[in-house]
Amino acid sequence: MLPRVNSAAIRRLNMVRVFHALRENPSCAQRDLSRLTGLDKATTSAIVAQMIEEGLVERSEAPRARRIGRPETALGIAPSAGLLVGARLEPGTIRIVSTTLAGTVVKQSQIPGSTDLATALRRLHEGIDAVVAASRPEGGVPPPLRGIGIGIPALMDREGRLVLAPNLGWRDTPIRPLLEEALGAPVHVDNDTKAAAMAERLFGACRGVEDFVYLTGHSGVGGGLFLGGRLYRGAQGFAGEIGHLTVVPGGRPCGCGKRGCLETYVSETSILAQAGERERALPDLWAAAAAARDGDPVVRSLLEAAGAHLGMALSHMVNLTNPGLVVLGGNLSIVAEFVLPTLNAALDEHALEPLRRDLRLLVSPLGPDAVPMGGIALAMDGFLSVPSPIL
Ligand SMILES: [Zn+2]
């Protein structure tokens, strides 16, 4: 029994390798596929033949210009192979994106959110239906919906149970089965920051990077930790809660019940609250960035302090995990230019020099779509993890 199980698992891993190689190298020639995947020619062609038979991969007619002699056809994930849907569920808004199976964006939409669970589920269902309908090619056969992935600002356990979502006001909710029942399709859920980190790894700044830290700042501050090419989840699935590292012992009160947590100085909510305490009424971080750009000393000093706290917390992460790259995502990217100088200075001061020397710091290229694209990453991962049609 065991050898058969192993060969099926290896076959699936090989198929996943071919899938990602085709996704990352559109119009790839079959002879390049062996080099890109490290698989031998016979294995590659057997997998490609089956993926073509299942309609996941197609050969294009266009000959490849740079080759001399017999024209070669190019391979790619078929646009008709399926549709993925990703969503970000926030109290105020629900952002939805649809992509091809290869992750190319087809449609996007944003609709109002809700902290009432039933209302949020209904709106999500309607929003996804609308996006799927709009994603269909005119007059063509609609591609099958292969999976839905949703990023939620919550502590999520490994079974897809929402343990605590302070901003939505939800706790101990079996969110994955509820969503599958409401949406009638395979649903994959995860913490929004972890989903966004997966999107950075598949589609963004962290392609090919094995060890990185991804940071976001919205209502709280979240972290995603990739170690050895895998998202690190911890024993219960809650790893990466950088927002609750203590940066000021006895400092500002935090939603978690403790004091002086990083997010009480660095999240969008806390930066705006601190600005309010100092008679600066700012609606959002775009306004904070604009005020800082105009030279407002109060806002500038708040953002500089946020950078220093973030750099201190990050130094601990760097000394513990030795990442090669740190990515600032979410709303932190809006104020990055005012946060980075003090953040870098704190890293210089607190991180060990050999670890600090080669550390790269980037602002996320995915912007507001990082979490919905994280939903796409979850859905793609889910589609590739289940015994697929070709197995
Ligand atoms: Zn806290």
Side-chain angles (χ1 to χ4, degrees):
M1 197 64 199
L2 204 58
R4 285 186 58 199
V5 171
N6 284 343
S7 74
I10 289 165
R11 239 162 101 94
R12 182 168 60 74
L13 284 176
N14 289 345
M15 189 276 282
V16 171
R17 268 205 228 180
V18 169
F19 179 89
H20 284 302
L22 289 173
R23 185 180 64 73
E24 285 168 4
N25 303 275
S27 303
C28 172
Q30 188 154 331
R31 70 163 82 172
D32 295 331
L33 208 49
S34 290
R35 180 179 49 79
L36 290 166
T37 57
L39 301 170
D40 62 55
K41 272 174 78 174
T43 307
T44 313
S45 61
I47 292 173
V48 167
Q50 277 192 296
M51 290 175 92
I52 288 173
E53 201 182 308
E54 294 297 334
L56 295 180
V57 167
E58 66 181 16
R59 288 187 199 276
S60 76
E61 299 294 319
R64 288 164 61 83
R66 67 187 171 84
R67 300 240 184 243
I68 301 164
R70 192 161 60 89
E72 237 180 324
T73 53
L75 295 171
I77 308 289
S80 60
L83 204 65
L84 299 173
V85 170
R88 171 183 169 189
L89 202 63
E90 286 271 322
T93 54
I94 297 171
R95 203 171 165 86
I96 302 169
V97 59
S98 68
T99 71
T100 63
L101 200 56
T104 304
V105 173
V106 180
K107 285 278 179 260
Q108 285 156 299
S109 90
Q110 187 160 309
I111 54 174
S114 175
T115 53
D116 176 66
L117 183 61
T119 309
L121 291 180
R122 182 174 48 77
R123 287 186 183 162
L124 188 64
H125 190 186
E126 290 166 0
I128 289 176
D129 277 355
V131 165
V132 168
S135 304
R136 288 188 172 139
E138 261 179 62
V141 181
L145 180 57
R146 300 284 193 173
I148 298 169
I150 301 171
I152 307 179
L155 285 182
M156 305 284 297
D157 74 11
R158 284 168 169 268
E159 276 70 54
R161 187 178 181 84
L162 182 152
V163 176
L164 182 66
N167 302 313
L168 285 158
W170 305 344
R171 59 165 63 229
D172 290 324
T173 308
I175 194 82
R176 181 173 168 168
L178 280 176
L179 286 164
E180 288 200 324
E181 196 187 304
L183 303 175
V187 178
H188 307 274
V189 282
D190 211 333
N191 166 268
D192 54 351
T193 306
K194 287 193 176 75
M198 288 176 70
E200 291 292 347
R201 166 89 171 153
L202 282 184
F203 314 114
C206 306
R207 274 181 261 200
V209 182
E210 298 284 293
D211 300 277
F212 67 89
V213 175
Y214 175 78
L215 289 170
T216 56
H218 293 285
S219 43
V221 171
L225 203 54
F226 260 80
L227 302 176
R230 296 182 73 95
L231 181 66
Y232 181 71
R233 293 178 182 277
Q236 293 158 277
F238 308 148
E241 288 297 325
I242 189 173
H244 301 283
L245 290 183
T246 305
V247 292
V248 179
R252 296 175 67 86
C254 181
C256 73
K258 304 188 189 304
R259 283 184 168 272
C261 294
L262 176 67
E263 69 177 39
T264 64
Y265 297 90
V266 174
S267 70
E268 169 156 23
T269 309
S270 68
I271 289 172
L272 300 180
Q274 290 175 87
E277 287 161 21
R278 296 165 74 174
E279 272 129 41
R280 298 291 192 281
L282 301 171
D284 52 36
L285 276 189
W286 276 276
R293 225 163 268 132
D294 288 343
D296 184 322
V298 168
V299 177
R300 275 189 172 232
S301 77
L302 280 175
L303 294 176
E304 284 164 12
H309 289 308
L310 195 54
M312 161 81 96
L314 207 45
S315 299
H316 299 321
M317 300 279 278
V318 167
N319 290 347
L320 273 175
T321 63
N322 186 201
L325 175 64
V326 171
V327 179
L328 292 188
N331 290 3
L332 284 175
S333 57
I334 299 163
V335 289
E337 63 182 289
F338 306 104
V339 165
L340 280 173
T342 46
L343 192 164
N344 273 309
L347 277 170
D348 290 341
E349 194 179 345
H350 302 292
L352 288 170
E353 200 277 331
L355 287 73
R356 165 65 174 127
R357 199 172 40 215
D358 295 327
L359 179 70
R360 290 186 298 138
L361 218 79
L362 285 177
V363 175
S364 165
L366 294 177
D369 280 328
V371 177
M373 285 308 288
I376 296 293
L378 290 169
M380 188 182 285
D381 203 44
F383 169 69
L384 294 172
S385 308
V386 293
S388 87
I390 74 160
L391 292 172

